[in-house]
Amino acid sequence: MVVKDENSSGDKPLDLFLKIGLDERTAKNTIANNKVTANLIAVIHEATVTDGCDRATGNLLYTVATKFPANALVHRPTLLQYIVSSKIKTPTQLEAAFSFFSTTGSENFKINEFEVACGVGVEVSIEDIKCIVTEIFEEHKNAILEQRYRTNVGELFGHVRKRQPWADPKIVKQLIDANLCALLGERTAADDEKPIKKKKEKPAKVEEPIAAVDAPPKTSEEELNPYSIFPSPEENYKVHTEIFFSDRPVLRACNSRETLEKHLKATKGKVFTRFPPEPNGYLHIGHAKAMFVDFGLAKDRGGFCYLRYDDTNPEAEKKEYIDHIEEIVRWMEWEPFKITYTSDYFQDLYELAVELIRRGHAYVDHQTPEEIKEYREKKMNSPWRDRAISESLKLFDEMKRGMIEEGKATLRMKQDMQSDNFNMYDLIAYRIKFTPHPHAGDKWCVYPSYDYAHCIVDSLENITHSLCTLEFETRRASYYWLLDALGLYQPYVWEYSRLNVTNTVMSKRKLNRLVTEKWVDGWDDPRLMTLAGLRRRGVSSTSINDFVRGIGITRSDCSLIRLDRLEFHIREELNKEAPRTMVVLHPLKVVITNLEASSLMDLDAKKKPDAQIEDASSFYKAPFSSIVYIEHSDFRMKDSKDYYGLAPGKSVLLRYAFPIKCTDVILADDKETVLEVRAEYDPSKRTKPKGVLHWVAEPSPGVDPVKVEVRLFDRLFLSENPAELDDWLGDLNPESKVVIPSAYAVPSLKSAAVGERFQFERLGYFVVDKDSTPEKLVFNRTVTLRDTYGKSGK
């Protein structure tokens, strides 16, 4: 009803959202969420842009609708006027506005303080940015000269942001690169060499060993089998954890022998685990570790793993995400024992909530979210905490029947408001949401919370090992408190370190912003660490699982894992499996003057470095004619000792073909731009040049080689840990995606299918993208050839 009343302009929500520049997919996804739809319609009317606005303004309005602080709604119209008047025009300014209003709340504020906080009217010129970058380079000159091109550019970015937060990040990046080049000169081969690590001197040993025995280091049992750390189901009678109360004896949570025997009879002593993703987004590489732990343990012990959708929040869940999760789990080579939903147990959960109230362990509360937060922070009991059990039962029934408005009541667990554990402060068990559920339909208007439902469904499904990441460790007390309060079987809970990778973000909230605000090209953008993105980039599930196994599943907090380590496993597999081929990204025409224009030779080129002559399938045909193309970067007008490319008067070997020698150069009118190179080839192959170049030739006289599009992907963020930055979107790498629309390829690539992976010689590993058409193939770079991690990354 709210949506219909506010939209007095007569436009349907979809039309209204399209008018402000949202793409159709985002608009439709927004409509599926009633809360965001209502907020966005209200924002559009408050901003008086019902007739439409440009896309940049529309994206900012969308962000206001989804992120504006709830405690400062009275100030939202003010912010919207600043947006539509382009006084606030960047996401960085908008984030600053949110921060300002979240601390201001509903109180009055001074406009000048607000404008200063948000950089209103601040125009940072290129000259200003140049001055700041120059200053920073002067301050860090010695360190830059020492580290040369290994200098951490992200740190330099950070220094600029501190001094001028409103500077355009693209211009900053360009100026930093230009200053590096001016200070250091052209990048040399030495800059690309791995730094030699100095070995630390070992302290002298006090005692000499009796005898020196050369023996290989022993491999630990955990390395041989990472699942050996987990106990068997029969051992689940021991105390899981101790829960300390402020007003009663310590609870030592454990199963009774009777409860355990009943459980073992139901499971026949088998291991049962569950992989419980919330269907509110696409799975990322962190979920790959969770799958490796959950499915892997069950498989190792001959047991079973559920794929259970944790679907307790209907506002954030979509059928698209549900379908994606099932597909990606199977792509990761895991097979669920059963696919279940928390919503399958809504009736059981409701009945157990009624039982919890009857036992005096839950009550209906009328505090607002803000009041609940304040009372929990002050360790104060809710005014309704001690209401009569009969009254809570009656009110909870009214909540279920839709007789109480959304936000006017919750069911809270009566735990311990004086505990030292914040997760024992009367957690919410049920809340009212008049939102249809993607799986359960419109049967329910009360929905259980994760803290209430998760442990109960674990128990109902007879899960033997409930495995989760370390941030859930503080919830272990509430997990066992609830099962003990209801007299239910208690699974064995164990937490492991979560997987975080450098130069990316893993938060679903941040990933959702990147997607919905069009910073990336969808959930499967190859720059994201989503599993769909990695798959599209040409990474296999085998490489990902090898990477996860190498990290291990212990409780030690591994902090950030370098992206290089994942790339090591990707290269290791592709080096064995990806066939070689030749593609020229930036073609420079070379005319071979001593070869007839009509001449054409089909040469054998190797798909594998160890290809055997008798094995025809290990070769492909590369046509060689009088017109060949090499990389522009493989030609220079001035030769040098450390340069192995082509130069006037110099010879190079065209791989699988012949040596050629540059005899002439055709320049443009500016006398600098190289248009064409003339060369002679050595049919006898007696010339033995040091340099070897990849190349592509005209397949027949006057016919261009196969034209393909190549997309070069790099790290999405400049900093190793962008999640720590306030302006994390300002840390996006402007060169994370470089599109080369007209590269040249050998004819054999013309029949390549979507998903096929290749090594482009001297360039890296590439995969055929789904955007390919019969007229033009598109290739995504998976990784470069150079391994920065090394053998120790196994």
Side-chain angles (χ1 to χ4, degrees), residues 94-114:
L94 194 57
E95 287 289 343
F98 291 158
S99 178
F100 179 87
F101 284 129
S102 65
T103 55
T104 304
S106 59
E107 298 176 5
N108 293 329
F109 65 92
K110 294 180 180 178
I111 284 290
N112 61 325
E113 291 179 357
F114 166 70

Side-chain angles (χ1 to χ4, degrees), residues 318-556:
K318 297 178 186 175
K319 183 70 164 56
E320 173 193 352
Y321 300 147
I322 291 171
D323 294 341
H324 158 76
I325 289 170
E326 181 180 348
E327 178 204 354
I328 217 73
V329 165
R330 291 198 160 95
W331 176 74
M332 286 295 296
E333 299 178 12
W334 301 116
E335 188 59 39
F337 161 60
K338 283 182 182 178
I339 297 176
T340 60
Y341 297 76
T342 297
S343 56
D344 293 338
Y345 302 93
F346 275 178
Q347 186 62 41
D348 301 286
L349 291 166
Y350 176 80
E351 291 171 4
L352 286 167
V354 171
E355 179 61 24
L356 197 66
I357 298 171
R358 286 189 180 128
R359 295 187 181 196
H361 295 310
Y363 61 96
V364 172
D365 188 22
H366 300 294
Q367 287 184 302
T368 65
E370 291 76 18
E371 288 171 335
I372 291 175
K373 181 182 178 183
E374 179 187 354
Y375 273 53
R376 293 184 84 217
E377 288 174 350
K378 295 178 179 178
K379 290 190 167 188
M380 293 168 54
N381 288 347
S382 163
W384 289 276
R385 194 174 198 263
D386 296 320
R387 77 189 325 160
I389 290 174
S390 58
E391 189 179 352
S392 282
L393 287 170
K394 176 178 177 294
L395 288 168
F396 189 48
D397 179 63
E398 290 176 358
M399 285 171 62
K400 180 202 173 192
R401 289 191 287 141
M403 297 171 65
I404 300 177
E405 288 181 50
E406 188 171 327
K408 296 297 184 182
T410 58
L411 180 70
R412 293 179 67 185
M413 297 179 263
K414 190 186 281 189
Q415 295 168 295
D416 183 6
M417 290 297 294
Q418 304 306 311
S419 170
D420 291 331
N421 186 338
F422 188 76
N423 284 295
M424 287 293 287
Y425 294 175
D426 289 10
L427 297 176
I428 291 174
Y430 269 87
R431 65 271 200 231
I432 303 167
K433 286 183 182 289
F434 293 104
T435 304
H437 192 281
H439 185 67
D442 57 3
K443 180 180 178 181
W444 296 89
C445 63
V446 288
Y447 293 100
S449 68
Y450 169 88
D451 291 292
Y452 173 78
H454 185 68
C455 57
I456 293 177
V457 178
D458 275 355
S459 183
L460 296 177
E461 290 187 338
N462 272 306
I463 299 303
T464 59
H465 299 73
S466 179
L467 310 171
C468 54
T469 47
L470 279 170
E471 67 264 31
F472 291 95
E473 186 172 18
T474 56
R475 299 191 186 191
R476 189 190 282 204
S478 61
Y479 183 103
Y480 284 123
W481 173 89
L482 181 54
L483 294 180
D484 180 80
L486 289 169
L488 298 175
Y489 156 76
Q490 300 171 15
Y492 167 78
V493 174
W494 193 84
E495 301 90 1
Y496 54 89
S497 60
R498 66 180 296 164
L499 172 55
N500 290 307
V501 180
T502 59
N503 303 98
T504 190
V505 291
M506 307 287 260
S507 153
K508 277 190 179 178
R509 181 181 62 82
K510 286 184 167 66
L511 287 171
N512 192 57
R513 279 198 67 187
L514 288 171
V515 174
T516 56
E517 295 177 13
K518 304 299 179 184
W519 297 100
V520 295
D521 304 323
W523 283 100
D524 64 348
D525 188 299
R527 292 168 290 181
L528 293 178
M529 280 288 123
T530 58
L531 295 174
L534 288 168
R535 176 173 61 178
R536 188 173 175 186
R537 190 160 175 165
V539 180
S540 72
S541 57
T542 303
S543 295
I544 297 171
N545 283 326
D546 287 346
F547 165 65
V548 171
R549 176 179 281 273
I551 293 168
I553 56 175
T554 62
R555 282 173 56 83
S556 60

Side-chain angles (χ1 to χ4, degrees), residues 13 97 99 131 141 151 163 174-175 186 225 293 323-325 401 471 509 543 571 636 692 714 721 752 757:
S99 178
C131 289
K141 185 175 180 179
T151 299
R163 298 188 192 184
Q174 291 168 2
L175 290 173
E186 290 191 18
N225 180 4
V293 177
D323 294 341
H324 158 76
I325 289 170
R401 289 191 287 141
E471 67 264 31
R509 181 181 62 82
S543 295
R571 283 191 191 90
R636 287 185 191 172
V692 181
D714 202 346
N721 193 3
R757 303 183 295 173

